[in-house]
């Protein structure tokens, strides 16, 4: 017994410790590089060209390696709300190329980030419109993952719908009581136009996504019919004929409740901008 030694204890070799230290140092340096690109290029308010270059650089990094994926994607997605139209178009194009060509496996993560931007508190109507316009151009697969993504899209669209309808209703009530506010609203024609385009894009998005919901599950009953009232109010409250027609078309599809009639709407729905989400 005296000649037997106790159980051998595993110890980390200096080589492994050194590799861990190197990995941590590389990650720290990479994080500093990303911060530098975001702060000095992506948010350079004086140079749209530098912002576009930063977007393309970050998208290339996303396609190449998943390190700091959430941080990079969030920064890039914010550029859909950039005041410069060329930056918005370049961002939308780069994101579509990422999920369609360079890294299709990221489609769920990218669309989820776009939904977060569309629902983000404090996000302007322009940023919401561009995020929704991007979502309407995402290719939805017919498998389980595609059905789940379509369900999340439809829920996001309807949530934004109801917020927009509530704002329009509140605005109409206030306008009736205050001529000053009505005059102020006239001075914000651009904002009103973007809101109208946002409503139209939301309706387009629902028309394109809801045919992918399973007719045999509870998706149809739980998600769509409960929003019929909001669509009905929107069709009567909006001043945009295009938005009213889209709302009535979607109402018809919902009331028909059949997959065949729904899918015809998917083919007939128009995309806000085939060249990429833009807002003037």
């Amino acid at each position: 017994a005296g000649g037997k030694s106790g159980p051998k204890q595993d110890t980390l070799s200096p080589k492994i410790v050194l590799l861990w230290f190197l990995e941590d140092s590389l990650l720290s340096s990479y994080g500093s590089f990303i911060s530098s690109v975001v702060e000095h290029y992506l948010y350079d308010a004086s140079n749209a060209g530098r912002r576009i270059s930063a977007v393309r650089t970050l998208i290339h990094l996303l396609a190449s390696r998943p390190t700091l994926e959430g941080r990079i994607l969030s920064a890039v997605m914010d550029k859909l709300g950039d005041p410069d139209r060329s930056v918005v178009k370049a961002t939308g194009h780069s994101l579509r190329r990422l999920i369609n060509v360079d890294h299709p496996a990221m489609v769920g993560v990218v669309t989820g980030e776009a939904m977060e931007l569309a629902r983000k508190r404090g996000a302007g109507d322009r940023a919401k419109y561009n995020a929704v316009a991007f979502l309407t151009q995402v290719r939805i697969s017919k498998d389980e993952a595609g059905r789940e993504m379509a369900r999340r899209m439809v829920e996001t669209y309807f949530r934004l719908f109801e917020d927009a309808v509530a704002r329009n209703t509140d605005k109409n009530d206030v306008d009736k009581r205050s001529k000053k506010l009505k005059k102020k609203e006239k001075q914000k024609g651009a904002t009103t136009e973007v809101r109208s385009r946002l409503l139209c894009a939301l309706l387009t998005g629902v028309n394109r996504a809801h045919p992918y919901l399973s007719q045999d599950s509870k998706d149809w009953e739980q998600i769509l019919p409960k929003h019929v009232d909001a669509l009905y109010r929107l069709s009567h409250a909006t001043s945009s004929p295009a938005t009213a027609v889209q709302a009535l078309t979607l109402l018809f599809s919902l009331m028909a409740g059949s997959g065949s009639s729904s899918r015809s709407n998917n083919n007939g729905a128009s995309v806000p901008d085939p060249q990429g989400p833009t807002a003037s």
Side-chain angles (χ1 to χ4, degrees):
K4 293 184 179 179
S5 59
K8 184 178 180 180
Q9 295 182 352
D10 293 332
T11 57
L12 295 175
S13 68
K15 184 177 180 180
I16 292 179
V17 175
L18 181 61
L19 288 174
W20 282 357
F21 175 77
L22 178 61
E23 181 182 9
D24 183 69
S25 299
L26 286 174
L27 182 59
S28 178
S29 298
Y30 184 66
S32 298
F33 169 73
I34 295 299
S35 297
S36 179
V37 172
V38 171
E39 293 174 10
H40 301 295
Y41 289 86
L42 193 65
Y43 292 137
D44 183 356
S46 63
N47 193 325
R50 295 184 75 178
R51 298 200 298 276
I52 292 174
S53 296
V55 166
R56 290 171 177 167
T57 298
L58 294 173
I59 289 292
H60 174 73
L61 294 174
L62 272 178
S64 303
R65 54 190 55 82
T67 307
L68 302 180
E69 174 185 280
R71 181 177 170 186
I72 296 174
L73 185 56
S74 177
V76 170
M77 196 63 67
D78 279 344
K79 290 293 97 181
L80 288 178
D82 195 279
D84 192 289
R85 184 172 181 172
S86 63
V87 177
V88 174
K89 180 172 289 189
T91 301
H93 174 76
S94 298
L95 287 170
R96 285 194 301 275
R97 179 177 175 83
L98 174 67
I99 61 178
N100 292 333
V101 179
D102 297 333
H103 202 330
M106 287 193 67
V107 62
V109 177
V110 173
T111 55
E113 194 67 35
M115 292 179 216
E116 286 295 325
L117 175 61
R119 297 192 300 258
K120 185 178 180 181
R121 281 184 176 272
D125 289 326
R126 189 187 305 274
K128 291 181 178 180
Y129 168 76
N130 290 330
V132 171
F134 169 75
L135 288 171
T136 63
Q137 299 171 62
V138 172
R139 299 173 185 172
I140 304 175
S141 61
K142 296 181 180 181
D143 55 14
E144 182 65 23
R147 189 177 72 83
E148 175 61 20
M149 186 168 68
R151 184 188 64 79
R152 293 175 58 203
M153 283 181 175
V154 170
E155 287 182 339
T156 298
Y157 295 149
F158 274 125
R159 186 184 305 180
L160 293 172
F161 260 152
E162 295 182 353
D163 290 344
V165 171
R167 280 192 301 170
N168 285 344
T169 302
D170 293 342
K171 180 176 73 67
N172 291 337
D173 292 341
V174 172
D175 284 347
K176 291 178 182 179
R177 298 193 301 265
S178 175
K179 292 183 179 180
K180 293 182 179 180
L181 288 177
K182 183 178 291 186
K183 183 178 180 180
K184 187 176 180 180
E185 285 296 324
K186 288 182 180 180
Q187 298 173 350
K188 297 182 179 180
T191 301
T192 302
E193 180 184 356
V194 172
R195 287 182 180 178
S196 177
R197 292 169 67 186
L198 172 60
L199 289 172
C200 192
L202 288 169
L203 288 163
T204 297
V206 175
N207 269 317
R208 289 174 63 88
H210 87 264
Y212 292 91
L213 299 180
S214 175
Q215 303 297 320
D216 298 328
S217 69
K218 295 183 179 179
D219 287 342
W220 184 269
E221 293 81 4
Q222 291 181 349
I223 298 176
L224 301 178
K226 67 180 180 181
H227 298 287
V228 167
D229 288 342
L231 285 170
Y232 183 79
R233 283 185 283 123
L234 173 62
S235 65
H236 287 75
T238 182
S239 59
S240 168
T243 302
V245 169
Q246 284 269 32
L248 292 172
T249 300
L250 183 55
L251 274 172
F252 175 79
S253 176
L254 297 183
M255 299 311 294
S258 66
S260 58
S261 63
S262 297
R263 285 176 175 76
S264 65
N265 286 328
N266 188 45
N267 294 328
S270 60
V271 178
D273 185 356
Q275 299 300 324
T278 61
S280 56

